[in-house]
Structure formats: C-alpha cells, structure tokens
Amino acid sequence: MSVTETKATDCDVIIIGGGPAGSTAATTLAQAGRKVLVIEKSKFPRFHIGESLLPYNRRIFDELGVWDKIQGAGFVKKRAAQFILGNDTRGSRLDFSKGSFTEYPEAVQVERSKFDEILLNHAREAGAMVSEETMVIDYRIEKDRVVVKYHSSDLAEVEVSASYLIDASGLSNFTGNKERKRHFYPGHKKVAVFGHFSGIEMPKGEHEGDILIIRRENSWVWMIPLEENKTSVGLVIDSADFKAIKKRPQEVFDEAVQNTPAVAKRFTNAQLMDQMHVIVDFSYKNETLVGPRTIRVGDASGFIDPMFSSGVLLAMTSGQQGAQAIHEALKSKTPEAITAGMKFYEKDNWRRISIYWEFIENFYRFHFAQLFFQPYNRWGMVCSINAVLAGRTKLSFAVWWRLRVFFFLAWLNRYVPVAKRIEVK
C-alpha cells in the first residue's frame, strides 16, 4: 500500500523523521507488531553530523537486531577518546576497555550517511512504512487521534492519522517549535563549522580509531577518523565570539586551525574533500517532551554540545524508550492522551541529558579542566568518568558517588588548589 492510499485506521503511530531516533522508534514499534509510518523529508543516504558513537550504543543495536549490519559495514573501531589541550602540552586518553564500571569496551566511528541508511532500511525490513522526500507541513491533535498533513514526493498534499505521533524531526524541532517549547541554554549559543578532510595525521597503532577532542580557551575542535584517509573535523565556538571575529565561517575555521598547535601539526597535508558545513545556536531544550498523543525524541527532545559524542546514544535511547511508552499505551487501550509511561519517559530522558550536560557545562571552566587534564584515579574516580563517557546513563551507586566526589573537587579547585595549576588553553 502506498502512503497516499493510507487510511486513518492503518497507522498506530506516525513518526516525523527517519534519523537514528526515528528509525529506532520505528523498528521498536514494528517489531512489537504496530503499524508505523515514518515521514522523512530527505532522500537517504544524506549528509549528517554526529559521527562518533559510544560503546553503550551496542546494547540498543543488539536489541534492535541491527548489530550484524553495522559490524558488516566496515566502520572504524573506536576504543578510546583523547582529550588534548590546544597548546599540545598535555592530554588524557580514556580507554573504554580499562574502566572498572564500563561494560562495553569499544564503539564505532561512522559516516552518518551510511549509518543512518542502515538503520532506516532496518526499520523497513521490520515492517515500518517509510516515505522519503516527504515534508510534514502541519498536524493537529484530536480527542482520539493525531492527524498529520504532508507533501509527498510528487508534491501531492496528503492527510494521515494515527493514535500517536512521535516527533523525531531533529534540530528542526517540528512540534516543539510549533508549540513554542524551544529554549536555548543560557550562555551556550554555539556555532559549529565542520567538514571532511583527507591527509589529516591521526593516531596509529594501538591508538588508531581514537576520537580527538582538542580544548581551546573558549572553544574546541573534534577530529574523528571515518576511513583510512577521511577525517571529520569541526570547530565549536561561542556565537558571540564567532560574530566578534567578523569573518566567514571558513576563515574562522582556518584561523583556529593555524592558531591551535595540537590541530595545526595534524593539518600539514590536509585537504578539504567536500564543502564546509555550519550549524548555529544549537544547544537547546524543549519545555516539555510529551503532549497529548505526542512524544518528542532524539534532537527534537533537545540538543546539547556534541563534545562527548552523546548525541546518537541519547537519540536512539529516547527513540526506543518513547516507542515503548507508546506501545504500552496502545496495548492498555488507555483513553488518556498523556499516559504515566509517557511522563516517565520525559523525566528519564531529562535525567540522561543532565548527566552529559554537567560535563559539558564544566568542560569550559578553568577549575574543572585543571582536574580533567590531570587524571588521578584515586577511589576509582577516573573509572566512573570513563563509564559515563562510554555511554552508561543508568548509574550504580558506586559510579554515582565517585562522580559526585570528582565534581565536588572540581568545584573546590576554584577556591583551593586541589590540582597543580597548568595552562589549559
């Protein structure tokens, strides 16, 4: 049955967006026997950012039954994350296989065009209907259903309805913007300038596949190996600083490379492979993640600085949990437009985001960086950090109290020299 023939009773759930959150939700629901329609504005494969995954993604891959396909795609293995000071005087490497509280030893670095297509095709194979090159233009919530209006690939205007709607529209934040729910994090308006390069000098041997996070004074640079001679490189800088420079994005990026020793030395033979991309003012949250017959997942639930590569994990976890909440609502045939399961999803998703947000907010602060770049594993504090940065978001008490001690010491370091003073630019 084509999408244009879909009747009101044919869908249990409509999903806006076919990225990792949307495709995960679609697979989860389709495997549970639900009738699902995914409406995706692009034609896959398509370029996307967020290429470094975390080890705990593996749990979701296994539960979706997609790991063999991902493993077979030949993506670069990621065993560790390196955090390096921009002046190249000091660095810290978190090896995921050596953390006492980390269950998964490695992840993968993915070219998102390939990775996202694998996930979306997997949703199709599970039984979800997928309509690409299809633009949602409006929606309305009625007593017992959601009605979505969209333009199909042939520009025909179509209406379809379902019992529930999942918004996985990414940074376009379709329902959140329409309901005026989006709020930017104060002081965290950022600009990201990024592209794919050849000729970047990346770690070899035992460190091959590592992501490099290079801290500058008020900004940072990522370097992610995607293939043998293909590296994703991006600069994340405060919006105000970017505007003050008064130069084009490419020029701002080039100057940051030249003025950052830890980056410049790796760019000696670098060549841009395609075009540079820019994202602006991207760190935001939505006032609510659930509404009558509606759940927001993935980047449509909120987006945070990608410093710790948490994006895909948070997106897929929210897509899976949001879909499970809707499945339970459909199974119980509850008349409530917002169920207890949906409310729990909202609370739990905010909890996960807050774990990474605490690290992000502190990473830019001098007193935190002093400790972070001088790791000392007393009481297993580094192991607890390793677990979280590997993607563990269900924190045992053993991990939780060690994190609290670490953040307390970082706070104390603001007033008392807990760690030796080093330059962290």
Side-chain angles (χ1 to χ4, degrees):
M1 179 182 292
S2 69
V3 173
T4 54
E5 296 170 333
T6 300
K7 306 300 182 183
T9 55
D10 283 333
C11 291
D12 293 314
V13 185
I14 297 170
I15 300 174
I16 304 174
S23 57
T24 297
T27 299
T28 300
L29 287 162
Q31 289 176 341
R34 300 299 175 187
K35 295 181 181 179
V36 185
L37 170 63
V38 179
I39 302 173
E40 166 56 48
K41 66 181 179 181
S42 301
K43 174 65 179 176
F44 280 38
R46 52 88 174 100
F47 179 88
H48 206 281
I49 201 61
E51 298 137 319
S52 189
L53 307 192
L54 298 181
Y56 276 73
N57 272 111
R58 175 63 186 274
R59 177 191 63 79
I60 303 177
F61 295 152
D62 288 340
E63 291 175 358
L64 295 178
V66 73
W67 172 243
D68 286 346
K69 296 173 184 175
I70 292 170
Q71 192 177 35
F75 294 125
V76 172
K77 288 185 178 180
K78 171 187 174 182
R79 299 177 180 85
Q82 294 189 36
F83 297 88
I84 303 169
L85 291 178
N87 59 21
D88 207 28
T89 59
R90 189 178 295 266
S92 175
R93 184 174 187 263
L94 288 179
D95 186 331
F96 300 125
S97 70
K98 295 180 180 178
S100 301
F101 308 113
T102 305
E103 300 167 280
Y104 298 94
E106 63 184 34
V108 286
Q109 316 277 25
V110 301
E111 191 163 354
R112 286 288 299 276
S113 58
K114 300 175 184 177
F115 174 76
D116 290 9
E117 188 174 33
I118 290 171
L119 294 183
L120 189 60
N121 285 338
H122 189 69
R124 279 193 179 97
E125 292 171 15
M129 295 182 290
V130 178
S131 180
E132 298 179 71
E133 298 179 288
T134 302
M135 180 68 71
V136 174
I137 54 177
D138 201 6
Y139 75 102
R140 66 180 184 273
I141 309 297
E142 299 182 351
K143 182 180 179 181
D144 59 352
R145 66 176 188 166
V146 179
V147 180
V148 175
K149 184 185 295 186
Y150 64 89
H151 283 145
S152 62
S153 57
D154 60 4
L155 300 182
E157 191 171 288
V158 182
E159 271 196 359
V160 62
S161 67
S163 298
Y164 289 92
L165 172 67
I166 294 179
D167 183 355
S169 60
L171 293 178
S172 62
N173 194 34
F174 186 80
T175 64
N177 284 347
K178 184 171 182 180
E179 297 175 20
R180 301 180 184 275
K181 300 293 186 183
R182 187 200 293 251
H183 297 282
F184 289 103
Y185 286 99
H188 281 272
K189 287 192 173 184
K190 304 292 181 182
V191 175
V193 185
F194 52 92
H196 290 167
F197 293 81
S198 64
I200 301 289
E201 295 180 22
M202 294 295 285
K204 300 296 182 183
E206 293 182 1
H207 294 182
E208 186 172 357
D210 287 4
I211 180 177
L212 307 184
I213 303 296
I214 300 168
R215 186 191 190 276
R216 305 174 78 241
E217 186 170 8
N218 293 309
S219 60
W220 63 278
V221 173
W222 77 70
M223 305 182 83
I224 305 170
L226 301 177
E227 295 176 3
E228 184 176 348
N229 194 28
K230 188 175 189 177
T231 305
S232 172
V233 184
L235 167 70
V236 177
I237 184 172
D238 189 82
S239 292
D241 292 340
F242 179 83
K243 292 174 183 176
I245 296 173
K246 295 181 179 180
K247 293 184 178 179
R248 295 183 299 108
Q250 178 74 63
E251 293 175 309
V252 174
F253 178 89
D254 291 342
E255 283 189 5
V257 169
Q258 294 167 10
N259 297 332
T260 310
V263 180
K265 74 176 189 180
R266 295 176 168 86
F267 255 73
T268 303
N269 300 309
Q271 295 289 328
L272 181 64
M273 299 179 71
D274 196 347
Q275 64 183 34
M276 296 296 285
H277 301 265
V278 181
I279 299 176
V280 299
D281 294 346
F282 51 75
S283 290
Y284 75 92
K285 59 182 176 181
N286 279 313
E287 187 179 303
T288 60
L289 305 187
V290 301
R293 301 194 171 277
T294 306
I295 283 185
R296 287 179 270 277
V297 302
D299 292 347
S301 70
F303 185 81
I304 56 178
D305 195 314
M307 183 182 298
F308 296 105
S309 306
S310 59
V312 173
L313 175 69
L314 292 174
M316 295 186 71
T317 304
S318 67
Q320 183 183 49
Q321 188 181 18
Q324 290 168 342
I326 286 179
H327 172 63
E328 290 303 315
L330 288 165
K331 187 166 64 173
S332 64
K333 298 182 180 179
T334 176
E336 298 174 359
I338 302 178
T339 67
M342 292 166 68
K343 292 176 182 176
F344 176 79
Y345 156 76
E346 179 180 67
K347 182 178 180 181
D348 208 37
N349 196 57
W350 274 335
R351 178 192 60 78
R352 286 190 295 271
I353 291 174
S354 69
I355 291 171
Y356 290 101
W357 185 249
E358 185 173 25
F359 276 96
I360 290 165
E361 214 172 16
N362 279 283
F363 192 78
Y364 290 100
R365 295 171 177 166
F366 176 84
H367 56 277
F368 176 87
Q370 294 289 315
L371 261 68
F372 191 84
F373 282 95
Q374 298 182 84
Y376 181 45
N377 199 32
R378 189 170 186 179
W379 306 313
M381 286 189 294
V382 173
C383 287
S384 68
I385 293 170
N386 194 335
V388 171
L389 299 190
R392 181 171 182 169
T393 57
K394 290 185 177 179
L395 304 184
S396 65
F397 180 73
V399 174
W400 177 85
W401 78 257
R402 286 172 169 85
L403 284 178
R404 299 292 17 112
V405 169
F406 175 77
F407 280 107
F408 169 74
L409 291 176
W411 170 84
L412 185 62
N413 193 47
R414 189 174 188 174
Y415 307 100
V416 180
V418 174
K420 177 184 175 183
R421 294 306 192 219
I422 58 172
E423 187 178 7
V424 288
K425 296 180 181 181

